[in-house]
Amino acid sequence: MNLMDLLSGDPPSSIYSTKEIEADTIMDLADSNGSQVNHHEVTNLNLAADLSEGVEHPNNGIYYVPTTLTRLQKELMELVLQTFSSDILQELRAKKSRTSIDSLLDSSSNAEHESDTFDKISLIMDQLSIVESHPSLLVDHFMPKKLLLSETNERLLSMSGKLQLFDKMLNLMVEKCNHETGFHVLVVAQSVKELELVEGVIIGKELNYRNLSSAKLYDDGKSIPNFNEKSSKGESKVCLYLATSQQLYNKYMSSLGTVNSKFNLIFSLDAKLDASSPSIELIRSETVETPILIPIPVFSLQHIGLQIPQPTTNFSFTKDTNSAIYKWNLRMIKTFIVNRFNLFETKEPDFFLEQYGGGMKQMNEWFKSWSKLNIPHNLLKSFDEQLAINFTDDKLIKKINNNYSNLDIPKTTKVELTNFSYKSYKSALAESLNSRVTQIEDFVSNIYETSVPEFRAKETLRQVQLDEDETTIANSYRKLRRLNEDAGFAEKKFTRIDSDLTKVHESKEEFERKLHYLQDHLSKDVSEEEISKQQESIDKLNEELITLSKEFDKLKDEGEEIRSKYQTSSASAAQIANKVNKFKAQNNKVITKIDGPGMKSLPSLIKKDTLINYEYQLNKLKKENDFLVQFIQEKIDKVSRERQSVLEASTSGSSSRPSNRISRASTPLN
């Protein structure tokens, strides 16, 4: 089944906002004035008014968490808008040119046109809302379990910004959760299909979950453990419960069948979750209300809906373009058209990094205390300030004509939509997507056929040039290395020559100074007395020189003797120092042993060993004593038996004169 067949199927019964409702349902939902009371719309209206005034809500426990749309969602939303751009422009032009009198005169002739316009605006709003939830929900057919299970997590996450935020939050919980009784999260979605997509994302993670709306996609046979029992130790602490919002409205806590009666968190993919519903209030009825996290893609219809709350509507089967719901839908679409350029300026990885920090550090602070979550309010405040709620029609027309997407809308698609039907819209959408797929395939094939060979040829030439440059650089490096070595040698030689030249200059100056001194003295007349004095001084100096030479030789000999003695003494000193070091090391070992824990316990060990030795000797003496006692007793018994036998033998025969008397002497021990 291709994409055209999936998208061009029969429409569901609930595709338009004006649908047939049974009379009993109408009577149950309508009040005495015939109007529908939408609790969520009233709550949303009050909340939006308070947000615009900057008022925090510490008691309601509802937190709107910012996320972003994926590239596929942005492209599909732009595709839907470009498909109906001509109809939106036509509606604006008709509004400008039509006067109140003309509208009264042409009311009967324009009834069919208004019905068509009403359906288109409702369809645009419905399709944009579906794309914001998950693009897979655009398929009206049943999605088999095998198809969902075959999808990878990355593919499912790449199609929904809400699921990306949910996945990051879930990974953080699985990694960091340390709650003793487990962390129980109720995940709410609008439909069972959306819950199945959520289930496709969480399959394979180390957690426990239960689908309260239908059977599991993959039944692993596991149930939610009871953490109060010992058998639950080692189980994953994170427990998820999947349910639809309609199921929560119709059922109470007792029918959810949860192990834990208290949810720690409610994560709602349904932005219009009615927190004032009695069943949800019953779930949250604790000392501290269970917080509700609602991911809101920034600059999306859901984000704009917080600033422009949906009005309460009366049940009506007429498609009136003057109704409040139609005007609200039209205003929401117009506001989204004006602000959608911000979507394409927001990058997915950078968005999560800027909002929550690396590794979702900001979100980790929320779950630091698992018993009580610390979630800040007004997370969307910076994005609310960037929304343009009030604008002119000229700006709107200018924004409609801008195509921020790379998708090309075929002209035939817009022509076919003049005879509007849901099936024709689905066919046009499938045709546009197939056109985009064909465009991508042609682009890829063109790259492989033309760009890749050219790139390979250029890369080959570049690599050849790089190899040649590397060879040239290597040769130049060798030459440079030799030149550096020669320059080093030349510099050393120059330094040596410079030092020699300095010495030559110094000696030359000394010689010149002496020459000048001699010339000055030669010009003077020297007497014989001065010569004789100088001769005497020279002789004295010679004698002193001889004496000093002898003393120098003597000191030199003594120095040699002292040096030899020093060398021998230093060698012996080194040996002694080594012995001293060894003795010190041994002494340190002995000291450590003496100061160690063993020496402290040595007296008790000696006492224990002495007692053991004494006990051993005592046992030995006891055994010897027992042996001697037994031995003596055996000997005494033996002698006694022998004596008794002799007595018995002596009594035989005549009793008047016994023949053999027993000696009165003591019987020796044998």
Side-chain angles (χ1 to χ4, degrees):
M1 183 181 293
N2 56 21
L3 186 60
M4 177 77 80
D5 297 332
L6 288 173
L7 293 177
S8 60
D10 295 333
S13 59
S14 61
I15 192 61
Y16 303 122
S17 61
T18 56
K19 55 185 178 181
E20 295 182 359
I21 306 175
E22 296 180 0
D24 296 338
T25 307
I26 296 175
M27 294 301 294
D28 293 336
L29 296 177
D31 58 4
S32 59
N33 296 326
S35 61
Q36 181 187 12
V37 179
N38 192 330
H39 298 285
H40 172 72
E41 291 163 1
V42 176
T43 304
N44 213 8
L45 178 61
N46 297 331
L47 179 61
D50 292 338
L51 284 175
S52 62
E53 297 175 0
V55 179
E56 295 186 357
H57 297 266
N59 297 322
N60 60 0
I62 301 175
Y63 305 92
Y64 294 99
V65 186
T67 183
T68 183
L69 296 176
T70 62
R71 183 176 179 181
L72 178 61
Q73 287 177 302
K74 298 172 187 176
E75 299 282 354
L76 286 176
M77 295 180 78
E78 187 68 18
L79 174 61
V80 173
L81 289 177
Q82 293 299 326
T83 303
F84 291 97
S85 60
S86 59
D87 299 290
I88 298 174
L89 287 172
Q90 184 179 358
E91 176 66 19
L92 289 174
R93 294 190 183 99
K95 181 181 177 181
K96 285 185 177 182
S97 61
R98 185 171 63 245
T99 61
S100 59
I101 298 176
D102 294 334
S103 61
L104 290 174
L105 294 175
D106 299 336
S107 59
S108 59
S109 61
N110 291 334
E112 184 177 355
H113 174 71
E114 287 184 359
S115 176
D116 190 18
T117 303
F118 188 95
D119 289 342
K120 286 182 181 180
I121 295 300
S122 301
L123 179 61
I124 294 172
M125 190 68 182
D126 179 75
Q127 295 297 295
L128 292 178
S129 301
I130 291 175
V131 172
E132 283 185 1
S133 298
H134 201 285
S136 298
L137 300 175
L138 287 173
V139 179
D140 298 327
H141 306 292
F142 172 74
M143 290 184 287
K145 292 184 178 180
K146 291 183 179 179
L147 181 62
L148 288 172
L149 290 174
S150 63
E151 292 286 350
T152 60
N153 287 7
E154 290 78 9
R155 186 179 178 87
L156 289 173
L157 294 175
S158 65
M159 291 191 289
S160 174
K162 291 184 178 181
L163 289 185
Q164 285 184 356
L165 179 64
F166 176 69
D167 183 70
K168 292 179 182 293
M169 184 184 71
L170 206 58
N171 292 335
L172 186 65
M173 289 181 182
V174 172
E175 181 182 359
K176 303 289 186 180
C177 183
N178 56 2
H179 204 274
E180 295 180 357
T181 59
F183 194 76
H184 300 265
V185 182
L186 177 63
V187 182
V188 185
Q190 285 182 312
S191 62
V192 177
K193 283 185 179 181
E194 195 169 358
L195 285 181
E196 289 178 346
L197 294 172
V198 173
E199 191 173 356
V201 171
I202 65 177
I203 286 179
K205 296 184 182 296
E206 295 182 359
L207 50 81
N208 307 291
Y209 80 96
R210 182 179 178 183
N211 195 334
L212 303 174
S213 298
S214 62
K216 287 185 176 182
L217 289 178
Y218 173 73
D219 190 4
D220 52 1
K222 293 182 179 180
S223 59
I224 303 296
N226 187 357
F227 294 96
N228 295 324
E229 299 178 356
K230 295 182 179 179
S231 59
S232 65
K233 289 185 178 180
E235 294 283 349
S236 175
K237 296 291 186 180
V238 181
C239 302
L240 300 185
Y241 305 85
L242 312 183
T244 61
S245 53
Q246 194 62 39
Q247 183 183 7
L248 294 181
Y249 298 152
N250 298 334
K251 294 184 179 181
Y252 290 92
M253 186 65 191
S254 59
S255 62
L256 290 178
T258 59
V259 176
N260 187 14
S261 61
K262 172 72 169 62
F263 288 110
N264 302 99
L265 178 67
I266 298 176
F267 188 88
S268 176
L269 296 172
D270 184 5
K272 297 182 179 180
L273 181 68
D274 186 6
S276 62
S277 173
S279 57
I280 297 180
E281 287 183 347
L282 181 62
I283 293 174
R284 302 178 67 200
S285 61
E286 295 290 338
T287 306
V288 179
E289 284 188 335
T290 303
I292 299 177
L293 284 186
I294 301 179
I296 299 294
V298 293
F299 309 116
S300 64
L301 287 174
Q302 295 177 5
H303 185 196
I304 298 171
L306 297 178
Q307 306 299 320
I308 310 175
Q310 182 178 356
T312 55
T313 58
N314 296 326
F315 286 101
S316 176
F317 296 100
T318 60
K319 301 176 181 180
D320 186 8
T321 55
N322 293 322
S323 63
I325 187 64
Y326 172 80
K327 292 180 179 179
W328 180 78
N329 286 336
L330 186 60
R331 186 183 178 189
M332 289 284 290
I333 294 171
K334 291 178 180 179
T335 308
F336 175 73
I337 290 172
V338 173
N339 292 278
R340 77 187 191 280
F341 72 95
N342 291 309
L343 288 174
F344 294 89
E345 294 179 357
T346 306
K347 305 299 180 183
E348 299 169 33
D350 297 338
F351 178 84
F352 290 107
L353 184 63
E354 292 174 359
Q355 294 299 316
Y356 303 102
M360 305 297 285
K361 179 180 179 181
Q362 191 67 31
M363 188 174 286
N364 188 22
E365 296 293 330
W366 304 352
F367 298 100
K368 226 169 193 180
S369 177
W370 293 90
S371 58
K372 183 179 180 181
L373 304 186
N374 185 20
I375 306 173
H377 290 272
N378 292 341
L379 293 171
L380 291 171
K381 185 176 181 180
S382 60
F383 301 102
D384 293 339
E385 296 172 354
Q386 301 179 39
L387 283 177
I389 304 299
N390 301 317
F391 47 85
T392 60
D393 291 341
D394 294 334
K395 183 177 181 180
L396 176 61
I397 293 172
K398 183 180 179 181
K399 293 291 184 179
I400 291 176
N401 294 328
N402 294 335
N403 186 4
Y404 299 99
S405 170
N406 295 323
L407 294 174
D408 296 330
I409 312 299
K411 295 182 179 179
T412 55
T413 302
K414 297 182 180 181
V415 174
E416 291 176 359
L417 287 176
T418 52
N419 298 324
F420 173 73
S421 67
Y422 180 75
K423 188 173 183 179
S424 63
Y425 159 71
K426 283 290 187 179
S427 299
L429 183 61
E431 182 181 350
S432 300
L433 292 178
N434 284 330
S435 175
R436 178 58 173 166
V437 172
T438 305
Q439 180 183 353
I440 293 174
E441 291 177 351
D442 294 340
F443 178 73
V444 173
S445 62
N446 184 31
I447 289 176
Y448 277 107
E449 292 175 1
T450 59
S451 300
V452 172
E454 292 177 0
F455 176 76
R456 286 176 178 172
K458 291 180 180 179
E459 186 66 20
T460 303
L461 293 175
R462 192 175 72 86
Q463 290 296 332
V464 171
Q465 186 64 34
L466 286 175
D467 294 338
E468 293 177 356
D469 293 341
E470 287 177 356
T471 305
T472 305
I473 291 171
N475 296 330
S476 301
Y477 176 74
R478 294 190 189 96
K479 292 180 181 179
L480 179 63
R481 188 173 181 180
R482 287 197 297 270
L483 291 174
N484 285 332
E485 292 176 356
D486 295 340
F489 293 146
E491 187 175 0
K492 291 179 181 179
K493 188 176 181 181
F494 174 76
T495 304
R496 187 170 61 254
I497 292 172
D498 191 17
S499 62
D500 294 340
L501 182 61
T502 303
K503 292 179 181 179
V504 168
H505 281 299
E506 290 178 354
S507 61
K508 182 181 177 182
E509 290 177 356
E510 181 68 20
F511 290 149
E512 287 179 352
R513 186 177 60 78
K514 290 181 179 180
L515 177 62
H516 288 302
Y517 177 77
L518 292 174
Q519 287 177 356
D520 292 339
H521 282 77
L522 286 174
S523 61
K524 295 180 180 180
D525 295 335
V526 181
S527 61
E528 292 180 358
E529 293 178 358
E530 291 179 355
I531 293 172
S532 61
K533 288 179 180 180
Q534 290 179 355
Q535 187 65 38
E536 290 176 359
S537 62
I538 290 171
D539 294 337
K540 289 180 180 180
L541 291 174
N542 287 330
E543 291 176 359
E544 290 179 359
L545 178 61
I546 293 169
T547 305
L548 291 174
S549 298
K550 291 178 180 179
E551 291 179 356
F552 175 74
D553 294 335
K554 185 178 180 181
L555 291 173
K556 186 176 181 181
D557 295 336
E558 292 178 355
E560 291 295 334
E561 292 177 359
I562 294 170
R563 185 181 294 108
S564 60
K565 290 180 181 179
Y566 173 75
Q567 289 178 353
T568 55
S569 62
S570 63
S572 61
Q575 294 177 358
I576 294 170
N578 291 331
K579 291 181 181 179
V580 170
N581 292 331
K582 290 181 181 178
F583 290 147
K584 285 183 178 180
Q586 293 177 359
N587 187 28
N588 291 331
K589 290 182 180 179
V590 172
I591 290 172
T592 53
K593 288 182 179 179
I594 292 173
D595 295 337
M599 291 301 295
K600 295 179 180 179
S601 60
L602 185 61
S604 61
L605 292 175
I606 293 172
K607 183 178 179 181
K608 185 177 180 181
D609 184 65
T610 306
L611 290 174
I612 292 172
N613 191 15
Y614 286 161
E615 288 178 357
Y616 173 74
Q617 292 179 2
L618 179 62
N619 292 330
K620 185 177 179 181
L621 292 173
K622 285 182 178 180
K623 289 180 180 179
E624 291 178 355
N625 186 33
D626 294 339
F627 174 75
L628 292 175
V629 170
Q630 185 178 2
F631 179 76
I632 294 170
Q633 187 67 34
E634 288 178 355
K635 289 294 183 180
I636 293 172
D637 292 342
K638 183 178 179 182
V639 171
S640 177
R641 285 195 302 271
E642 289 178 353
R643 183 178 179 84
Q644 187 67 28
S645 62
V646 171
L647 289 175
E648 290 177 354
S650 62
T651 56
S652 62
S654 177
S655 60
S656 61
R657 192 175 176 87
S659 59
N660 46 357
R661 280 187 171 182
I662 300 173
S663 176
R664 295 182 181 274
S666 60
T667 303
L669 295 175
N670 293 331

